[in-house]
Amino acid sequence: MAPRPASETSKYARDVGKFPKKVSKAKNKRLQQGLKKVDQEYQEFVKSAEATDVLLQEEAGFLEADGPMERTMKFRQDDIVEAVDVGTANKKLDLQLTELGPYTLDFNRNGRKLLIGGKKGHVASMDWRLGKLGCELFLNETVNAVKYLHNDNFFAVAQKKYTFIYDGSGTELHRLKKHVELTLLDFLPYHFLLVSAGYSGMLRYHDVSTGALVSEIRTKLGPTQAMKQNPWNAVMHLGHGNGTVTMWTPSQKDPVVKIQSNRGPIRDLAVDREGKYMVVSGSDKRVKIWDLRKLQELDTYVIPTPARSVDISDRGLISVGWGPHVSVWKDAFKTHQDEPYMTHLLPSSKIEKIKYVPFEDVLGIGHMKGVGSMIVPGAGEANFDAMEINPYESAKQRQEQEVRTLLNKLSPDTIALDPNFIGMVDKKARNVRLNQTQIQDLEDEEKKEKERSSMNSGPSYKPEQTKLKKYLQKNNANIMDARRMRIERNLKLEEERKEKLKAKELEGEGEPDELLPALGRFA
């Protein structure tokens, strides 16, 4: 087969460099035709993907300075709101909630709904674009974390002792008694797994579709300080008090990777959408960038105070919340940046949680005095796949999407560092294959074992371990009475019966009589 053109392996090719460009010729003609058909289908896929570029009308744009004396980090949010269009300006959010803070927040997968949770018991779910309140709860109990599940109709709240599941109207549905004293929640949408960690140092995976506790792992590293998922392979990244970052899967009781990242406790971490880079902030006032492909540190940034929260946007912008400040860094994965791309200040407040809105140039900020937002041009993905996540879906489309995701739910065993192992051939299996002679020897050994077990077809216990024998051993006095004589006689009869049964089985399995039936009576 001819090698694929270079244009096809640039942007839309899958696993570039992992497989040879030219497929070797197979000995079997049928196999060769199958390989040729697969390669043709792959080329058609690449061409159709290139043809969709015409339909992608939206483009991502960033802030640009007018001259060398102007810097984008000096642009204020008030100036940006005046310069952008009305639709983007209306996405600027500022909720003053000074009594029940500090607030944490979460967005659903399509970015339409906002879920906020105050430390003193205030929980609310809303459509933040329209300003429409879905439900509001005053729990009169400490709220440590909030998280949307597969859609905005269900969300989990980690309260003082237990974790509760609520529906879109605020009705309590479940109380998860095994999820105790949690501070961190996350959800794996393709596996329908609710992941939790907290003070106990336990990592738990709970299947919300069946209600079963899939896995319960003891980290043995004390209380978990930070937890985020890798969107590419669903591996959980945990930050601990000794400055290490561990990566976990539900099928293994030990971490698959363990990294010594910082010299102090981990405050927060984030993983980009492609699963290539990880950003870790620690109490040593350092924000470190790691390459997860080589498990190597790329860069380090020093900030005045330890960062409370970090997040990475769809386009690779890094946001760091430290004290009352929010710093946004651009192209930090490529080269070291001398100054941030954008900055934002919340006077007389303190950042608790920052999170980017999916498919939007908006950064949600939860702080001590309420919830706000920050417009970050170029942060969101301009073109979305409506078959995967649709920000403008209707109620009917949401129901169909829920059924579709349940049918395509992945097993927890598929979570691994390299998700491409599914459907691949194990190259090491060639060394453990058995030839035909070894297989025949194993079959013969099994037949002999069955024959040996059939020969010993008596009772499973030994004769000296029978009840009659035990009674005689226990009453070993040299006194002959009627009961002792009866027991000895029964024991003798039982042994004779077993010997006859064994002799009969041996006669049945013996060699056949060589004499003819007519002469058999003279034998």
Side-chain angles (χ1 to χ4, degrees):
M1 276 183 281
R4 298 172 185 136
S7 61
E8 295 183 359
T9 60
S10 58
K11 184 177 180 181
Y12 296 98
R14 300 291 178 87
D15 299 324
V16 179
K18 193 172 182 179
F19 303 103
K21 294 183 178 179
K22 186 175 181 180
V23 181
S24 59
K25 188 174 181 180
K27 296 181 179 179
N28 191 352
K29 186 177 180 181
R30 185 176 181 181
L31 179 60
Q32 178 68 18
Q33 292 177 353
L35 292 175
K36 187 176 180 180
K37 182 180 178 181
V38 170
D39 193 73
Q40 290 176 354
E41 291 177 353
Y42 172 81
Q43 294 180 10
E44 292 176 359
F45 156 74
V46 174
K47 292 179 181 178
S48 61
E50 289 178 348
T52 57
D53 276 344
V54 183
L55 304 176
L56 304 179
Q57 302 292 336
E58 303 293 335
E59 295 182 0
F62 296 93
L63 285 176
E64 294 182 2
D66 290 339
M69 299 300 294
E70 189 177 23
R71 294 183 294 179
T72 57
M73 63 174 293
K74 295 296 184 181
F75 293 167
R76 303 181 62 182
Q77 285 294 306
D78 296 338
D79 301 333
I80 295 176
V81 170
E82 294 179 358
V84 297
D85 58 286
V86 178
T88 306
N90 291 334
K91 296 174 184 177
K92 187 71 173 67
L93 182 68
D94 188 12
L95 300 177
Q96 295 295 329
L97 306 169
T98 59
E99 296 181 359
L100 302 175
Y103 278 84
T104 183
L105 54 87
D106 183 49
F107 295 94
N108 64 338
R109 293 189 66 202
N110 58 17
R112 293 286 299 181
K113 297 298 181 67
L114 168 65
L115 178 65
I116 63 174
K119 191 73 174 179
K120 297 178 182 178
H122 180 213
V123 178
S125 176
M126 67 188 77
D127 189 332
W128 64 278
R129 298 181 184 178
L130 303 177
K132 183 179 179 181
L133 183 64
C135 68
E136 189 173 16
L137 304 173
F138 295 93
L139 302 175
N140 296 325
E141 193 177 18
T142 303
V143 173
N144 295 319
V146 293
K147 185 65 183 178
Y148 273 119
L149 300 186
H150 53 281
N151 55 31
D152 56 283
N153 285 336
F154 303 96
F155 59 89
V157 180
Q159 297 176 205
K160 183 178 181 180
K161 186 175 182 181
Y162 297 111
T163 301
F164 294 85
I165 305 294
Y166 298 91
D167 65 355
S169 61
T171 305
E172 179 184 327
L173 301 179
H174 303 285
R175 182 178 66 175
L176 307 180
K177 295 183 179 180
K178 293 187 178 181
H179 297 257
V180 183
E181 294 182 350
L182 301 181
T183 56
L184 302 164
L185 291 175
D186 209 336
F187 184 73
L188 304 178
Y190 298 104
H191 304 79
F192 278 78
L193 292 178
L194 177 65
V195 189
S196 64
Y199 294 120
S200 62
M202 299 291 293
L203 178 65
R204 295 180 176 89
Y205 291 83
H206 205 115
D207 193 333
V208 299
S209 62
T210 62
L213 186 64
V214 174
S215 179
E216 191 173 11
I217 305 172
R218 186 180 299 276
T219 61
K220 302 178 183 178
L221 292 171
T224 305
Q225 306 292 333
M227 181 179 69
K228 291 287 179 63
Q229 64 167 298
N230 189 334
W232 183 63
N233 54 14
V235 173
M236 298 306 301
H237 294 231
L238 271 64
H240 306 280
N242 58 356
T244 60
V245 176
T246 55
M247 304 179 193
W248 301 83
T249 61
S251 58
Q252 298 189 22
K253 298 300 181 183
D254 296 322
V256 293
V257 175
K258 190 174 183 180
I259 301 173
Q260 183 66 42
S261 178
N262 295 64
R263 295 185 178 180
I266 303 298
R267 301 295 293 270
D268 198 13
L269 55 89
V271 185
D272 74 323
R273 186 176 61 175
E274 297 179 354
K276 297 179 180 179
Y277 302 101
M278 176 178 65
V279 180
V280 184
S281 65
S283 299
D284 55 354
K285 302 180 183 180
R286 281 170 171 78
V287 177
K288 295 188 177 183
I289 302 175
W290 289 80
D291 189 342
L292 295 178
R293 296 166 291 182
K294 300 186 293 183
L295 299 178
Q296 181 180 355
E297 182 181 341
L298 292 181
D299 206 345
T300 303
Y301 292 87
V302 181
I303 53 179
T305 59
R308 176 62 181 172
S309 180
V310 296
D311 196 22
I312 303 176
S313 72
D314 295 336
R315 303 282 297 177
L317 298 183
I318 302 174
S319 293
V320 182
W322 49 280
H325 301 272
V326 178
S327 301
V328 182
W329 300 82
K330 177 186 174 186
D331 297 333
F333 297 139
K334 299 178 181 178
T335 58
H336 183 81
Q337 304 296 319
D338 297 330
E339 60 182 22
Y341 169 61
M342 291 182 66
T343 59
H344 184 54
L345 174 64
L346 296 172
S348 66
S349 185
K350 186 178 180 180
I351 304 297
E352 178 70 17
K353 175 83 172 185
I354 58 175
K355 187 175 179 63
Y356 279 102
V357 183
F359 310 110
E360 294 287 350
D361 294 343
V362 179
L363 174 67
I365 304 172
H367 51 91
M368 290 188 65
K369 294 185 177 181
V371 178
S373 65
M374 173 183 175
I375 297 177
V376 183
E381 180 63 44
N383 300 289
F384 58 88
D385 184 3
M387 299 299 294
E388 175 67 19
I389 303 174
N390 187 7
Y392 306 101
E393 65 182 3
S394 61
K396 184 66 175 178
Q397 290 174 335
R398 186 186 68 244
Q399 295 171 1
E400 294 177 353
Q401 179 68 15
E402 183 176 3
V403 175
R404 193 158 44 243
T405 51
L406 276 171
L407 292 175
N408 298 329
K409 186 183 76 168
L410 300 178
S411 172
D413 298 335
T414 60
I415 299 177
L417 276 179
D418 185 11
N420 294 325
F421 80 97
I422 302 175
M424 301 295 290
V425 177
D426 188 4
K427 297 180 180 179
K428 297 181 181 179
R430 185 180 302 173
N431 302 328
V432 298
R433 289 176 183 170
L434 301 178
N435 54 28
Q436 191 67 24
T437 306
Q438 292 173 335
I439 294 174
Q440 187 66 32
D441 293 342
L442 289 175
E443 291 179 355
D444 295 341
E445 187 67 26
E446 290 178 358
K447 289 181 180 179
K448 291 179 180 179
E449 188 67 27
K450 289 181 180 179
E451 292 176 358
R452 205 176 293 117
S453 61
S454 63
M455 292 283 290
N456 302 327
S457 60
S460 60
Y461 47 82
K462 297 180 181 179
E464 59 267 20
Q465 292 180 350
T466 59
K467 292 183 179 180
L468 299 176
K469 194 72 175 179
K470 286 182 179 180
Y471 177 81
L472 293 177
Q473 291 177 354
K474 184 177 180 181
N475 301 280
N476 201 13
N478 194 13
I479 301 174
M480 298 298 294
D481 54 355
R483 185 178 182 184
R484 184 178 180 87
M485 293 174 64
R486 186 173 66 253
I487 290 174
E488 288 181 352
R489 185 174 66 253
N490 293 339
L491 181 61
K492 187 177 180 180
L493 292 174
E494 184 179 356
E495 291 178 355
E496 290 178 356
R497 183 180 59 81
K498 291 179 181 179
E499 289 179 358
K500 289 181 180 180
L501 182 62
K502 188 178 293 186
K504 187 177 180 180
E505 291 177 355
L506 291 175
E507 290 177 359
E509 295 180 359
E511 296 181 357
D513 194 359
E514 296 180 356
L515 298 175
L516 295 176
L519 301 176
R521 65 178 181 273
F522 300 106

